[in-house]
């Protein structure tokens, strides 16, 4: 008994702190692999974090063109604020440490991502205080979702909606960086205006930026292609081949860091020689972010105080969209890498089974929530699981979530010691990093697949895709609404198979819920009561799994009609749960049989009886 | 060929102008019955129209407490306007004439109703210009719905929502008249404030109003009870009994007119003798309404011009709720009386069948739309089918929609000649008429039925009921939203029967649509891939009628897992439409059988084969 309680406690503790399930078995091999993976991910995370901050934070003078928050526009305009690049790094380390303790999947790395940065940009309006409050609230909401088990809300975001959104976001983010490759300034943020002005201002492009950007892009694309075409390692190959292979793989894996370092070196040497060829990142803060409670109000330059509730109101729909998208991205990644690793590490299968269940049922929102809550103490903006870095982590052979600690330390070291060098990072090189990171997300095989397999599902895809260009956050909302309406329509107009065996037989193909009432009633009138001649009816309910009161009420009315016209309506093959509801409803002449055949036999018998003896139909069941 | 075209033309004409189907057969008997019914309905319509105008039109000084349109509040407050009683009569005659030509059900009478008046009151803010614009737009929207066949939208308003709304509206309207029975003034319109202030001000009640109101109520209730207990006419009874019976029936039927006339006579005599015992209706306009195009803007006393688009924006959600509710009320009545009369007039069954189909498919929104469009030319507010007057019409034995002409003429005559007398109608008598008209709508057997038959349906009922007290129009919106969410939940978490025959068998009970994906996946992992020991799976899809791409995508992932773990997943009993989708999707190892038995046989065979020879499982189908 005591032992059992002990086991239960143990299980409960491990489910709260998943670190307990792998730490006792941690060994040197694990540590070696984790350090290698951690360093590699760190070298990807630092340049990406710097780059994504630019996606999330927008210069104020541009926002005046574009903000959809007309009410908050005035306030935003008053603030003197620059969302600078270190905010990306501030956001990149907390997730690594938190996930090490609470994380359940060895591969996942939390941090700033392209899509979350784009989503946040619409709500925070370039203001770090807004960003931090959003992070805090986002974390609280995600933790609340985990506690209240609201993860099922994600079930209503369908695959076409996710894909439509991802494609549109990738196009928006990718195209948004073209201006940095070209070295253009003062391009509005709204997608269509951005496209127009980017092309309009091409004559103003800076040669240095263009050349550097294209070189970076070329290198990154080459490296990606090389890595993708690199066959599997062959143990029998000579050691020279194997080391060459290893070198290419390593260079390809840390390609982002290499590109940024090289570009920075070039820019630095051109700056110190007095040539200003490139657009640089410019002024950044120094050192580590202060650890302090998130600000609960903001005082503007002109003395106006914006309270916490004002900020929360301004964030508005962002407080629903951003936490949900954050969890959605995490779970999509957990599932993708969960299923990949499920078979690869066969020894761990049993352990992984527990992990997988946890990941699926808790939707990863506990670590994401905690990371965001804690992130708000170090001036971070909302983070989620990063697909790209998770892939790097997995491919480098990480063994436990401890790899995250190494990544986190690398980010902190960059903040502490490399910050002054970040001044010289050319924007074009970061733009190239972003473009290469998001381009795999532009997966235009999806609409082709949809067209081939299920054309109707192109509708939510296209709605999400197109609306996302207008306002990225409305894309998901619109797509979810459209797919919900399509579901409701399926319920309202199910397929009904009508057949005629002397009496009409209607085979219903799903639940009898209220939207179907009118349709059902019309079918009954057309094929039975008002057919010429009027005939009896068998309702084949073998596929009917649910029924609600609206339908029961209509059936009551229909049965009255059948009674008055002297015709019969028999229900066939009712499931017990549906039968129970119909029995409690006191329907006037409720008759049911186990099968359609039985009902047909009964009805044809009765009809003969009726015709021969002109007797009223009696209820025999 | 020519004859056929002729018949088609004839049918098309008759479907546009249903009057053509009954006019050729019109005769003296029909005319006699129609006149009697028309007069009776007219005598009910006039007092009700006067009374309902009070429900729809609210003194401005009261609205300041209550308006939810905070933005429009300022504008409303600036207007000097009194919504007076003649607007009810203005609204009462157009429907009678239009319905005679375009109507399809002999019983239905269109005109002002309690619920529509209450709904409108929230939007028009006591301003006749707003009311007329609302009428015009409501008519245009209803006609548009008919043309675009949007009637299916009504399918999403379930029975519990309708009943919850009706009960709440009846309580709101009924209680709203208590102040008139008590002769109280300056009671706010919002329900909860109204209850508070009505009780708070009871000491200020006027004795004259209270006595008169209670007498009217007593008489009306007695008459209703007498009419209800009046048994069916017996042809063998002596003629004296029969005429007494007829007298009681007649008095009971025109009880509203009698009460108002008697109360007006009492009030008139007390006024001319210098005693002001009663709160009177007061100043009314004289004569018939002018026939003029509806105003497209309004100029306020202070010179401000409110444009048409401003008015439309102020009306806001009313432009969705009011046309929909109007059509909903009409169709509910058409169905109720349609089914009653279907059997009573046996000779007409064939004709009625056509009519019924028309009524159901066209949802009666053509005549309602036309009535509202035309009504806006005579300063009417939105109308719909009236349940009470339709019942009177049906019971008096109306034969064709021509009865409506008589009713319309009576309303016009009252407007032309009786208007000066309306000054003396005591408010308490109109209040009694309203209370008796709405009290049958407070049908509290519905929640009992819901509790007994399907408890879950109490949720939308209660949501609608309770929210309606807060703001009547939000009640329906809230109820529809809740019932849509409940439907989506049914889709997301269908019942799945799991059984174990050495291999797991999952019997899915309805469509495979995207919200079910996660749930399905979890079940597959729990019962097959991660069960101990892992086992093969048969998905029994005989009840699955639809599938979408999200599910197909997930099945693809699951099949990959099955392939990798060396287990099998077989689909059993797929319907052709579902099979077609799965076949086009290029699933990795897609195997299907006609029945679960076949699949089991196949799997157990394969498993033995596998165990004996340690061969990889091959795809045999």
């Amino acid at each position: 008994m005591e032992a059992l309680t002990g086991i239960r406690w143990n299980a409960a503790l491990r489910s709260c702190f998943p670190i307990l399930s792998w730490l006792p078995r941690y060994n040197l091999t694990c540590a070696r692999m984790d350090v290698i993976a951690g360093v590699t991910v760190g070298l990807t995370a630092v340049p990406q974090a710097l780059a994504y901050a630019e996606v999330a934070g927008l210069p104020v003078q541009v926002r005046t063109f574009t903000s959809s928050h007309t009410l908050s526009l005035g306030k935003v305009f008053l603030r003197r604020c620059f969302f600078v690049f270190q905010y990306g790094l501030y956001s990149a380390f907390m997730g690594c440490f938190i996930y090490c303790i609470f994380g359940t999947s060895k591969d996942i790395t939390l941090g700033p991502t392209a899509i979350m940065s784009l989503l946040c940009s619409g709500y925070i309006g370039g203001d770090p205080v807004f960003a931090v409050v959003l992070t805090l609230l986002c974390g609280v909401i995600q933790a609340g979702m985990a506690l209240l088990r609201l993860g099922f809300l994600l079930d209503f975001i369908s695959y076409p909606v996710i894909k439509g959104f991802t494609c549109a976001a990738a196009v928006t983010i990718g195209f948004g960086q073209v201006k940095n490759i070209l070295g253009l300034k003062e391009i509005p943020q709204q997608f269509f205006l951005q496209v127009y002005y980017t092309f309009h201002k091409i004559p103003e492009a800076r040669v240095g930026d263009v050349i550097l950007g294209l070189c970076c892009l070329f290198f990154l694309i080459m490296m990606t292609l090389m890595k993708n075409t690199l066959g599997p390692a062959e143990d029998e190959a000579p050691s020279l081949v194997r080391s060459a292979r290893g070198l290419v793989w390593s260079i390809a894996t840390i390609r982002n860091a290499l590109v940024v370092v090289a570009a920075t070196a070039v820019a630095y040497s051109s700056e110190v020689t007095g040539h200003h060829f490139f657009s640089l990142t410019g002024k950044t803060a120094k050192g580590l972010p202060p650890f302090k409670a998130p600000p609960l109000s903001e005082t503007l330059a002109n003395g106006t105080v914006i309270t916490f509730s004002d900020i929360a109101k301004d964030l508005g729909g962002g407080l629903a969209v951003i936490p949900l998208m954050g969890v959605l991205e995490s779970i999509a990644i957990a599932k993708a890498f969960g299923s990949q690793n499920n078979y690869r590490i066969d020894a761990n299968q049993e352990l992984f089974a527990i992990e997988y269940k946890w990941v699926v049922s808790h939707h990863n929102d506990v670590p994401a929530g905690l990371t965001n809550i804690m992130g708000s103490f170090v001036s971070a903006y909302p983070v989620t699981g990063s697909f790209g870095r998770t892939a790097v982590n997995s491919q480098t052979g990480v063994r436990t979530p401890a790899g995250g600690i190494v990544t986190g330390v690398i980010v902190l070291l960059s903040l502490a010691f490399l910050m002054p060098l970040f001044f010289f990072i050319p924007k074009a090189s970061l733009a190239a990093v972003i473009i290469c990171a998001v381009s795999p997300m532009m997966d235009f095989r999806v609409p082709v697949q949809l067209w081939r397999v299920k054309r109707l599902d192109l509708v939510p895809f296209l709605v999400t895709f197109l609306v996302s260009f207008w306002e990225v956050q409305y894309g998901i909302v619109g797509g979810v609404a459209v797919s919900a309406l399509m579901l409701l329509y399926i319920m309202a107009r199910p397929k009904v198979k009508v057949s005629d065996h002397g009496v009409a037989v209607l085979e219903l193909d799903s639940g009898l819920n209220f939207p179907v009432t009118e349709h059902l009633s019309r079918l009954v009138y057309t094929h039975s009561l008002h057919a010429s001649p009027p005939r009896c009816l068998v309702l084949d309910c073998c596929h009917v799994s649910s029924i609600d009161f609206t339908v029961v009420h209509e059936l009551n009315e229909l049965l009255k009609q059948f009674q008055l016209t002297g015709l019969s309506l028999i229900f066939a093959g009712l499931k017990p749960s549906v039968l129970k509801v119909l029995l409690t409803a006191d329907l006037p002449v409720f008759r049911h049989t186990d099968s359609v055949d039985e009902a047909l036999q009964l009805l044809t018998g009765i009809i003969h009886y009726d015709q021969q003896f002109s007797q009223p139909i009696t209820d025999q069941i």
Side-chain angles (χ1 to χ4, degrees), chain A residues 315-338:
Chain A
L315 293 173
L319 297 180
V321 171
I322 290 175
L324 267 181
M325 280 309 290
V327 175
L328 187 71
E329 228 176 315
S330 293
I331 190 184
I333 295 167
K335 277 173 68 179
F337 288 90

mmCIF file of all heavy atoms in Angstrom, chain A residues 315-338:
data_model
loop_
_atom_site.group_PDB
_atom_site.id
_atom_site.type_symbol
_atom_site.label_atom_id
_atom_site.label_comp_id
_atom_site.label_asym_id
_atom_site.label_seq_id
_atom_site.Cartn_x
_atom_site.Cartn_y
_atom_site.Cartn_z
ATOM 1 N N LEU A 315 -3.909 45.623 -26.444
ATOM 2 C CA LEU A 315 -3.445 44.337 -26.990
ATOM 3 C C LEU A 315 -4.626 43.537 -27.527
ATOM 4 O O LEU A 315 -4.502 42.798 -28.498
ATOM 5 C CB LEU A 315 -2.699 43.546 -25.917
ATOM 6 C CG LEU A 315 -1.376 44.164 -25.463
ATOM 7 C CD1 LEU A 315 -0.796 43.395 -24.292
ATOM 8 C CD2 LEU A 315 -0.371 44.198 -26.614
ATOM 9 N N GLY A 316 -5.774 43.689 -26.881
ATOM 10 C CA GLY A 316 -7.050 43.157 -27.388
ATOM 11 C C GLY A 316 -6.977 41.716 -27.831
ATOM 12 O O GLY A 316 -6.605 40.812 -27.082
ATOM 13 N N GLY A 317 -7.335 41.506 -29.115
ATOM 14 C CA GLY A 317 -7.403 40.162 -29.669
ATOM 15 C C GLY A 317 -6.078 39.423 -29.631
ATOM 16 O O GLY A 317 -6.046 38.196 -29.669
ATOM 17 N N GLY A 318 -4.988 40.178 -29.527
ATOM 18 C CA GLY A 318 -3.674 39.553 -29.436
ATOM 19 C C GLY A 318 -3.590 38.607 -28.255
ATOM 20 O O GLY A 318 -2.878 37.598 -28.296
ATOM 21 N N LEU A 319 -4.334 38.916 -27.195
ATOM 22 C CA LEU A 319 -4.305 38.077 -26.003
ATOM 23 C C LEU A 319 -4.987 36.739 -26.238
ATOM 24 O O LEU A 319 -4.847 35.809 -25.444
ATOM 25 C CB LEU A 319 -4.959 38.809 -24.831
ATOM 26 C CG LEU A 319 -4.232 40.084 -24.410
ATOM 27 C CD1 LEU A 319 -4.938 40.743 -23.248
ATOM 28 C CD2 LEU A 319 -2.795 39.753 -24.042
ATOM 29 N N ALA A 320 -5.753 36.623 -27.300
ATOM 30 C CA ALA A 320 -6.306 35.307 -27.651
ATOM 31 C C ALA A 320 -5.428 34.646 -28.708
ATOM 32 O O ALA A 320 -5.062 33.480 -28.591
ATOM 33 C CB ALA A 320 -7.729 35.451 -28.166
ATOM 34 N N VAL A 321 -5.070 35.422 -29.744
ATOM 35 C CA VAL A 321 -4.378 34.833 -30.894
ATOM 36 C C VAL A 321 -2.963 34.389 -30.537
ATOM 37 O O VAL A 321 -2.546 33.275 -30.858
ATOM 38 C CB VAL A 321 -4.343 35.849 -32.063
ATOM 39 C CG1 VAL A 321 -3.457 35.349 -33.182
ATOM 40 C CG2 VAL A 321 -5.757 36.103 -32.570
ATOM 41 N N ILE A 322 -2.212 35.233 -29.830
ATOM 42 C CA ILE A 322 -0.799 34.928 -29.609
ATOM 43 C C ILE A 322 -0.581 33.730 -28.677
ATOM 44 O O ILE A 322 0.175 32.826 -29.028
ATOM 45 C CB ILE A 322 -0.046 36.203 -29.161
ATOM 46 C CG1 ILE A 322 0.028 37.138 -30.378
ATOM 47 C CG2 ILE A 322 1.347 35.891 -28.646
ATOM 48 C CD1 ILE A 322 0.610 38.473 -30.114
ATOM 49 N N PRO A 323 -1.275 33.653 -27.515
ATOM 50 C CA PRO A 323 -1.096 32.446 -26.703
ATOM 51 C C PRO A 323 -1.491 31.172 -27.460
ATOM 52 O O PRO A 323 -0.773 30.174 -27.422
ATOM 53 C CB PRO A 323 -2.022 32.662 -25.512
ATOM 54 C CG PRO A 323 -2.222 34.124 -25.429
ATOM 55 C CD PRO A 323 -2.131 34.636 -26.823
ATOM 56 N N LEU A 324 -2.599 31.229 -28.183
ATOM 57 C CA LEU A 324 -3.046 30.043 -28.911
ATOM 58 C C LEU A 324 -2.038 29.638 -29.978
ATOM 59 O O LEU A 324 -1.691 28.469 -30.110
ATOM 60 C CB LEU A 324 -4.402 30.310 -29.567
ATOM 61 C CG LEU A 324 -5.631 29.908 -28.760
ATOM 62 C CD1 LEU A 324 -6.894 30.196 -29.542
ATOM 63 C CD2 LEU A 324 -5.581 28.430 -28.395
ATOM 64 N N MET A 325 -1.571 30.622 -30.747
ATOM 65 C CA MET A 325 -0.607 30.298 -31.800
ATOM 66 C C MET A 325 0.677 29.763 -31.201
ATOM 67 O O MET A 325 1.320 28.868 -31.761
ATOM 68 C CB MET A 325 -0.301 31.538 -32.641
ATOM 69 C CG MET A 325 -1.334 31.846 -33.678
ATOM 70 S SD MET A 325 -1.731 30.424 -34.713
ATOM 71 C CE MET A 325 -0.218 30.261 -35.668
ATOM 72 N N GLY A 326 1.076 30.333 -30.047
ATOM 73 C CA GLY A 326 2.283 29.864 -29.385
ATOM 74 C C GLY A 326 2.168 28.394 -29.040
ATOM 75 O O GLY A 326 3.043 27.579 -29.372
ATOM 76 N N VAL A 327 1.052 28.030 -28.404
ATOM 77 C CA VAL A 327 0.862 26.635 -28.024
ATOM 78 C C VAL A 327 0.765 25.762 -29.273
ATOM 79 O O VAL A 327 1.323 24.667 -29.336
ATOM 80 C CB VAL A 327 -0.412 26.506 -27.158
ATOM 81 C CG1 VAL A 327 -0.685 25.051 -26.877
ATOM 82 C CG2 VAL A 327 -0.231 27.260 -25.867
ATOM 83 N N LEU A 328 0.060 26.283 -30.273
ATOM 84 C CA LEU A 328 -0.122 25.514 -31.507
ATOM 85 C C LEU A 328 1.219 25.190 -32.155
ATOM 86 O O LEU A 328 1.466 24.055 -32.579
ATOM 87 C CB LEU A 328 -0.978 26.325 -32.473
ATOM 88 C CG LEU A 328 -1.397 25.616 -33.744
ATOM 89 C CD1 LEU A 328 -2.421 24.550 -33.422
ATOM 90 C CD2 LEU A 328 -1.979 26.593 -34.739
ATOM 91 N N GLU A 329 2.107 26.192 -32.217
ATOM 92 C CA GLU A 329 3.409 25.975 -32.838
ATOM 93 C C GLU A 329 4.200 24.942 -32.041
ATOM 94 O O GLU A 329 4.803 24.036 -32.614
ATOM 95 C CB GLU A 329 4.167 27.304 -32.925
ATOM 96 C CG GLU A 329 4.768 27.545 -34.300
ATOM 97 C CD GLU A 329 5.433 28.900 -34.415
ATOM 98 O OE1 GLU A 329 4.835 29.901 -33.958
ATOM 99 O OE2 GLU A 329 6.537 28.971 -34.961
ATOM 100 N N SER A 330 4.160 25.088 -30.688
ATOM 101 C CA SER A 330 4.874 24.127 -29.849
ATOM 102 C C SER A 330 4.380 22.715 -30.088
ATOM 103 O O SER A 330 5.171 21.788 -30.246
ATOM 104 C CB SER A 330 4.682 24.461 -28.373
ATOM 105 O OG SER A 330 5.293 25.659 -28.051
ATOM 106 N N ILE A 331 3.068 22.550 -30.105
ATOM 107 C CA ILE A 331 2.555 21.190 -30.194
ATOM 108 C C ILE A 331 2.806 20.597 -31.574
ATOM 109 O O ILE A 331 3.108 19.409 -31.707
ATOM 110 C CB ILE A 331 1.070 21.117 -29.812
ATOM 111 C CG1 ILE A 331 0.688 19.654 -29.688
ATOM 112 C CG2 ILE A 331 0.184 21.806 -30.777
ATOM 113 C CD1 ILE A 331 -0.747 19.440 -29.421
ATOM 114 N N ALA A 332 2.733 21.451 -32.601
ATOM 115 C CA ALA A 332 2.997 20.954 -33.952
ATOM 116 C C ALA A 332 4.417 20.402 -34.019
ATOM 117 O O ALA A 332 4.659 19.322 -34.575
ATOM 118 C CB ALA A 332 2.816 22.076 -34.964
ATOM 119 N N ILE A 333 5.335 21.131 -33.390
ATOM 120 C CA ILE A 333 6.733 20.696 -33.399
ATOM 121 C C ILE A 333 6.903 19.434 -32.567
ATOM 122 O O ILE A 333 7.546 18.466 -32.990
ATOM 123 C CB ILE A 333 7.619 21.833 -32.881
ATOM 124 C CG1 ILE A 333 7.542 23.004 -33.848
ATOM 125 C CG2 ILE A 333 9.041 21.368 -32.697
ATOM 126 C CD1 ILE A 333 8.112 24.268 -33.301
ATOM 127 N N ALA A 334 6.283 19.435 -31.363
ATOM 128 C CA ALA A 334 6.402 18.262 -30.489
ATOM 129 C C ALA A 334 5.910 17.028 -31.221
ATOM 130 O O ALA A 334 6.505 15.951 -31.152
ATOM 131 C CB ALA A 334 5.607 18.480 -29.216
ATOM 132 N N LYS A 335 4.791 17.181 -31.941
ATOM 133 C CA LYS A 335 4.238 16.029 -32.654
ATOM 134 C C LYS A 335 5.164 15.602 -33.793
ATOM 135 O O LYS A 335 5.440 14.414 -33.965
ATOM 136 C CB LYS A 335 2.848 16.358 -33.200
ATOM 137 C CG LYS A 335 1.777 16.175 -32.158
ATOM 138 C CD LYS A 335 0.451 16.660 -32.641
ATOM 139 C CE LYS A 335 -0.107 15.808 -33.750
ATOM 140 N NZ LYS A 335 -1.433 16.317 -34.168
ATOM 141 N N ALA A 336 5.645 16.581 -34.546
ATOM 142 C CA ALA A 336 6.486 16.252 -35.696
ATOM 143 C C ALA A 336 7.735 15.515 -35.235
ATOM 144 O O ALA A 336 8.071 14.459 -35.761
ATOM 145 C CB ALA A 336 6.870 17.523 -36.441
ATOM 146 N N PHE A 337 8.421 16.034 -34.210
ATOM 147 C CA PHE A 337 9.660 15.399 -33.785
ATOM 148 C C PHE A 337 9.393 14.214 -32.887
ATOM 149 O O PHE A 337 10.183 13.273 -32.855
ATOM 150 C CB PHE A 337 10.586 16.434 -33.149
ATOM 151 C CG PHE A 337 11.141 17.346 -34.180
ATOM 152 C CD1 PHE A 337 10.494 18.515 -34.526
ATOM 153 C CD2 PHE A 337 12.271 16.985 -34.878
ATOM 154 C CE1 PHE A 337 10.976 19.333 -35.523
ATOM 155 C CE2 PHE A 337 12.768 17.799 -35.875
ATOM 156 C CZ PHE A 337 12.119 18.978 -36.203
ATOM 157 N N GLY A 338 8.253 14.258 -32.162
ATOM 158 C CA GLY A 338 7.866 13.091 -31.379
ATOM 159 C C GLY A 338 7.728 11.881 -32.280
ATOM 160 O O GLY A 338 8.308 10.824 -32.028
#
